[in-house]
């Protein structure tokens, strides 16, 4: 069990730029989740995949956000035309089918200048 | 519908004294309940989970939690706090939804301070 891996750990970018984050889940886990966490708050659900299928998207996930999991393994989260309000920690988690516990990566901290 | 409420935003204890972090939940279906810990600039680490087996659940680092259905509570305890326990703790509920599938909700978190 190598754990959930997220890259990069930190991303600093100018407003209006596009950014992409990567998540490598635990290999035998078929579910993969994305969350956003702002300072002093708990994680907020963004979306999740079962294998390669994106089964649910939160209303928080505006049209500027897109997530993929093309082969049911790693996933990417892209934010287009970043805004100041996108500054947050983006967390990825993976699990077996519910009620399996979710295992989290260390997150990608996004800072928008 | 389901929800989770962490009753204290901050808890402060002295090293060596007991820890109690309170969590109440509501769920229309039998829930699975979890406690996670988050240290600064790190992801969330699973402390323990309840999934309809024994109501007293033991986790890592000496933590345990008791599922009380009648009180809809899942409080986290530790007999003796250590400095390294200072962190943010999240109570999480996951349960079936009426429309199918599972929904996972995080509490707002409790910041634990440990004084020397």
């Amino acid at each position: 069990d190598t754990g959930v891996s997220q890259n990069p750990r930190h991303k600093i970018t100018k407003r209006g730029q596009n950014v992409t984050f990567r998540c490598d889940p635990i290999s035998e886990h078929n579910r993969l989740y994305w969350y956003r966490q702002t300072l002093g708050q708990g994680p907020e659900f963004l979306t999740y995949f079962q294998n390669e299928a994106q089964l649910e998207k939160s209303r928080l996930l505006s049209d500027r956000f897109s997530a993929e999991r093309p082969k049911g393994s790693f996933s990417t989260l892209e934010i287009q035309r970043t805004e100041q309000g996108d500054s947050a920690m983006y967390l990825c988690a993976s699990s077996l089918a519910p009620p399996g516990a979710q295992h989290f990566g260390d997150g990608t901290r996004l800072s928008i200048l | 519908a389901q929800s989770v409420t962490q009753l204290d935003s901050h808890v402060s204890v002295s090293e060596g004294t007991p820890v109690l972090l309170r969590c109440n939940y509501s769920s229309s279906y039998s829930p699975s309940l979890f406690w996670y810990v988050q240290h600064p600039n790190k992801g969330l680490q699973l402390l323990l989970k309840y999934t309809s087996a024994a109501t007293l659940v033991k986790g890592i680092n000496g933590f345990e939690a008791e599922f009380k259905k009648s009180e809809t509570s899942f409080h986290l305890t530790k007999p003796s706090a250590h400095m390294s326990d200072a962190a943010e703790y999240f109570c999480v509920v996951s349960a079936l939804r009426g429309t199918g599938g599972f929904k996972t909700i995080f509490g707002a978190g409790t910041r634990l301070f440990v004084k020397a």
Side-chain angles (χ1 to χ4, degrees):
Chain A
D1 180 357
T2 57
V4 178
S5 176
Q6 291 189 247
N7 288 288
R9 290 296 315 280
H10 299 95
K11 180 70 177 179
I12 301 173
T13 191
K14 293 181 180 179
R15 184 163 50 96
Q17 298 295 304
N18 299 343
V19 295
T20 300
F21 311 140
R22 176 177 170 128
C23 172
D24 288 89
I26 293 172
S27 57
E28 60 266 31
H29 286 179
N30 57 356
R31 288 204 168 195
L32 185 148
Y33 308 79
W34 285 100
Y35 294 87
R36 182 174 69 186
Q37 186 180 25
T38 53
L39 204 60
Q41 302 296 317
E44 297 173 294
F45 170 78
L46 292 178
T47 187
Y48 88 91
F49 294 83
Q50 177 148 318
N51 300 314
E52 66 275 11
Q54 188 174 18
L55 296 186
E56 186 173 346
K57 293 194 293 185
S58 162
R59 284 171 291 180
L60 292 174
L61 214 65
S62 76
D63 291 345
R64 298 184 297 106
F65 288 70
S66 62
E68 294 182 342
R69 194 183 183 197
K71 297 182 180 179
S73 56
F74 74 92
S75 175
T76 57
L77 177 68
E78 181 183 17
I79 309 175
Q80 296 181 327
R81 305 181 303 281
T82 52
E83 301 174 355
Q84 290 285 351
D86 297 333
S87 294
M89 175 79 88
Y90 290 84
L91 293 166
C92 175
S94 69
S95 75
L96 295 170
Q102 296 180 30
H103 296 259
F104 284 81
D106 283 340
T108 295
R109 181 168 295 284
L110 175 64
S111 298
I112 307 298
L113 301 177
Chain B
Q2 61 191 59
S3 65
V4 57
T5 303
Q6 292 184 241
L7 298 168
D8 306 291
S9 60
H10 299 86
V11 169
S12 182
V13 301
S14 297
E15 190 174 24
T17 64
V19 175
L20 170 64
L21 305 183
R22 298 182 295 166
C23 174
N24 285 356
Y25 71 92
S26 69
S27 177
S28 303
Y29 298 91
S30 296
S32 295
L33 296 160
F34 309 85
W35 275 99
Y36 287 85
V37 61
Q38 186 177 33
H39 292 275
N41 296 312
K42 302 288 281 184
L44 281 72
Q45 180 185 17
L46 178 68
L47 283 176
L48 50 80
K49 63 180 180 181
Y50 166 78
T51 54
S52 74
T55 56
L56 182 62
V57 182
K58 294 187 182 299
I60 62 171
N61 300 336
F63 285 95
E64 62 182 38
E66 186 172 7
F67 173 70
K68 292 186 176 180
K69 187 175 181 179
S70 61
E71 299 176 10
T72 60
S73 69
F74 190 59
H75 301 334
L76 182 70
T77 60
K78 182 174 181 177
S80 176
H82 192 272
M83 295 297 290
S84 61
D85 294 327
E88 188 87 17
Y89 291 80
F90 293 97
C91 181
V92 180
V93 60
S94 181
L96 280 169
R97 296 185 298 183
T99 54
F102 276 78
K103 186 172 180 66
T104 299
I105 295 181
F106 285 75
T110 298
R111 171 75 62 178
L112 176 65
F113 296 94
V114 182
K115 298 174 291 187

